[in-house]
Amino acid sequence: MRTTTRRAVLGAGLATATGGLLAACSDASPESGGPSPAATYIEPDGKEVAAAEARRKPGPVREVKLTAARTELDLGGRKVTSWAYGDALPGKEVRVTAGDTLALRLANHLPQATSLHWHGLALRNDMDGVPGITQRPIAPGAAFDYRFAVTHPGTYWFHPHSGVQQDRGLYAPLIVEDPKEPLKYDKEWVVVLDDWVDGVDGSTPDAVMAELAKGMSGMDHDMGGGGGGGMGGMHHMSMTSATSASSDGPSRMLMGATSPVLGGDAGDVAYPYYLVNGRTPDAPETFTAKPGDRIRVRFVNAGGDTAFRVALGGHRMTVTHTDGFPVRHAETDSLLLGMGERYDVLVTAGDGVFPLTALAEGKKRTALALLRTGGGSAPDADVRPKELESAPLTADRLRADDAVALPSRRPDRTLVFELTGSMTKYDWAINGRRYKASERYPVKAGERVRLAFVNRTGMWHPMHLHGHTFALPGGGPRKDTAIVLPGKRLEVDFDADNPGVWMLHCHNVYHAESGMMTLVGYRR
């Protein structure tokens, strides 16, 4: 097997992959909606990146080996052939302690090049896993050694950043334990939510992308005649997928799925299954506990195109963290997770059998797991606990824990990102321009940076920033992924304290692949 080491990649090869782009890239003004001519940027293997890693004081090494390969997966009576890490869905959890150094070798046995992105981690830039920007793609038959300090505890996950590979089985949780954990609990669950299409009746994410990319010509989806991506005149239609089929399976284009919580259009893709920890509702995973146990649940939305509203029947949840960072505790019956978001909650287990239900928001179907603390029969696969009827808690209703609240400070720089495009042409973009690796928005180390997301479309977008966390307005929580509703403006702030070139994109995998991505780069 060929092995691609970090040294090899970050020599002449990465100079070709990124250095040439950096030399020719564009710049943007301090308050800008778009790039304009060139500047010099810190490269992913620059001395500034190495210095930042040294300040993290890398600790004990945790070695992990991982193989990405084509395999058969059992979703609970329904077997599919997909791509995965090993033969499990989700992939085997990686668990480290804050302060450790993670050394993970990924062997690529797939028919395509791949990579690993560590979603939510503030890590060294050359380990961020974006092919052509921070590393070379890992070719079929090759391997890559990821090695970086892990400094902040929390609930994270990892997945490829190559095409639409994430919408296969290539994802797994990454749990960073706190050596000074302040929470007290008896049990812990990791609950990974997903929407599933790969290998079902011949469907693949690539075929879904190809179908969506054709757009919906002849159908009016614009919002008020602008660049909206809503369903427009289709709201009266029942939720369905188109009836045409191809050699890559039936049509998976979703029409008529709406959600007031999401501001209108709920999604693009009609998934045949929704999963909790890789299982369908007909064969759910069962968590066991004793009545009265205090349970920490770590939720991860690994979906490609679906927000999930989650509730545990007969219980209230106390939210303690979002995207790895603690919040002031807040009780709720239900909780909304956009793609890429994570929430930690505490629940006190009742006596009996209870449904942990994840409603595909606006798509009217559910995923399911069970909590069993005593006797009794399991609920039906389509159970809808009354807790789902409550308005779900969303990030804007939370406040950061005092220990992690971003100190008040006026921004040194404001970058404006208009989210543009429509379902009609499927031309999702930022500031009207589809992603180009040669364009990036500049920041400087030490700045307080404000990102102003202005959603000009009729669809919601979960926007994700690599390598940093930002604060929501008004003392809101620290996050790396935030939902921007249609027609709304969301301003978030972060401190530029992690040098390199970082992606900013919609975490709807099909919107991102269509072009709703850009780069934020540190200037020298």
Side-chain angles (χ1 to χ4, degrees):
M1 174 183 292
R2 300 191 308 278
T3 299
T4 307
T5 66
R6 186 172 69 89
R7 175 177 291 274
V9 166
L10 295 179
L14 192 58
T16 300
T18 62
L21 295 176
L22 293 172
C25 69
S26 299
D27 195 4
S29 59
E31 294 195 56
S32 173
S36 62
T40 302
Y41 289 86
I42 293 170
E43 296 186 10
D45 60 339
K47 63 180 187 297
E48 298 89 346
V49 172
E53 180 73 351
R55 289 193 294 271
R56 295 185 180 103
K57 299 179 180 179
V61 176
R62 169 84 165 91
E63 294 187 351
V64 178
K65 292 184 178 180
L66 195 67
T67 300
R70 190 171 183 268
T71 189
E72 185 177 73
L73 299 171
D74 187 350
L75 307 182
R78 177 64 191 252
K79 293 184 178 180
V80 296
T81 298
S82 185
W83 300 355
Y85 301 128
D87 57 0
L89 186 70
K92 185 178 180 181
E93 169 191 304
V94 173
R95 188 172 287 255
V96 299
T97 299
D100 286 353
T101 295
L102 178 59
L104 184 144
R105 168 167 286 195
L106 175 64
N108 182 12
H109 292 180
L110 300 172
Q112 293 179 5
T114 193
S115 65
L116 271 186
H117 168 58
W118 310 90
H119 186 113
L121 289 187
L123 77 171
R124 60 179 301 152
N125 190 219
D126 52 10
M127 296 289 105
D128 191 47
V130 181
I133 300 299
T134 65
Q135 69 170 88
R136 275 185 173 177
I138 308 171
F144 187 86
D145 291 319
Y146 293 92
R147 186 184 181 97
F148 53 87
V150 184
T151 57
H152 197 280
T155 302
Y156 305 96
W157 61 302
F158 55 90
H159 58 80
H161 224 284
S162 303
V164 292
Q165 290 180 9
Q166 181 215 309
D167 216 23
R168 297 180 186 262
L170 295 167
Y171 60 83
L174 171 64
I175 307 302
V176 184
E177 295 184 333
D178 189 342
K180 300 178 181 179
E181 177 59 64
L183 296 179
K184 304 295 183 183
Y185 47 90
D186 302 298
K187 289 182 176 292
E188 178 185 321
W189 306 335
V190 178
V191 174
V192 183
L193 312 173
D194 192 20
D195 40 22
W196 190 267
V197 68
D198 195 31
V200 180
D201 300 327
S203 293
T204 67
D206 294 284
V208 172
M209 183 71 246
E211 180 186 14
L212 292 173
K214 296 175 183 177
M216 291 183 174
S217 300
M219 297 182 183
D220 179 16
H221 303 282
D222 285 353
M223 184 176 66
M231 300 304 289
M234 292 176 59
H235 280 163
H236 70 280
M237 297 175 64
S238 61
M239 185 179 63
T240 183
S241 61
T243 56
S244 62
S246 72
S247 59
D248 293 308
S251 171
R252 298 297 183 186
M253 185 178 288
L254 182 62
M255 297 185 289
T258 61
S259 163
V261 174
L262 296 174
D265 199 334
D268 302 338
V269 182
Y271 287 92
Y273 296 111
Y274 297 94
L275 311 177
V276 174
N277 288 353
R279 309 287 292 182
T280 70
D282 293 323
E285 181 172 6
T286 299
F287 300 101
T288 59
K290 296 182 295 185
D293 276 351
R294 200 177 198 205
I295 304 166
R296 180 179 191 165
V297 186
R298 299 178 184 261
F299 289 108
V300 178
N301 184 351
D305 177 70
T306 304
F308 287 98
R309 184 191 303 213
V310 296
L312 178 60
H315 296 73
R316 283 178 65 78
M317 301 180 289
T318 300
V319 179
T320 64
H321 296 73
T322 181
D323 291 1
F325 279 73
V327 297
R328 296 179 188 175
H329 290 190
E331 287 195 356
T332 187
D333 286 332
S334 66
L335 181 65
L336 184 75
L337 289 90
M339 295 82 78
E341 288 191 290
R342 292 91 61 213
Y343 284 85
D344 293 17
V345 305
L346 292 174
V347 296
T348 301
D351 188 1
V353 185
F354 306 96
L356 177 63
T357 301
L359 171 68
E361 183 68 27
K363 299 183 179 182
K364 302 181 181 179
R365 295 177 59 198
T366 57
L368 179 68
L370 300 176
L371 164 62
R372 179 177 288 276
T373 64
S377 58
D380 293 338
D382 59 355
V383 61
R384 297 287 179 92
K386 64 180 179 60
E387 286 80 6
L388 284 176
E389 299 171 6
S390 302
L393 186 145
T394 51
D396 59 295
R397 292 167 51 194
L398 296 171
R399 292 295 174 264
D401 184 275
D402 290 345
V404 299
L406 199 66
S408 178
R409 175 180 166 187
R410 293 186 64 181
D412 302 295
R413 184 186 301 263
T414 298
L415 299 175
V416 179
F417 298 100
E418 292 194 351
L419 311 180
T420 58
S422 70
M423 275 294 291
T424 306
K425 297 181 179 178
Y426 218 77
D427 54 351
W428 305 111
I430 291 177
N431 290 328
R433 290 181 297 279
R434 295 192 182 191
Y435 171 68
K436 289 183 179 180
S438 59
E439 293 184 352
R440 57 209 61 194
Y441 292 78
V443 300
K444 286 188 176 181
E447 288 184 332
R448 170 67 57 84
V449 181
R450 176 160 294 171
L451 307 178
F453 298 110
V454 184
N455 190 347
R456 301 294 189 193
T457 82
M459 291 194 72
W460 66 286
H461 303 285
M463 299 304 295
H464 172 53
L465 175 64
H466 288 208
H468 303 75
T469 61
F470 47 71
L472 269 59
R478 297 280 297 275
K479 291 180 65 63
D480 54 72
T481 309
I483 291 174
V484 186
L485 295 176
K488 301 297 184 181
R489 179 185 179 107
L490 176 66
E491 295 183 348
V492 301
D493 290 356
F494 75 94
D495 286 335
D497 57 6
N498 195 14
V501 181
W502 302 98
M503 289 217 77
L504 173 68
H505 63 93
C506 177
H507 221 278
N508 182 313
V509 67
Y510 299 99
H511 292 184
E513 184 66 7
S514 173
M516 193 174 275
M517 303 190 293
T518 193
L519 296 167
V520 174
Y522 280 63
R523 294 182 63 171
R524 291 190 182 279

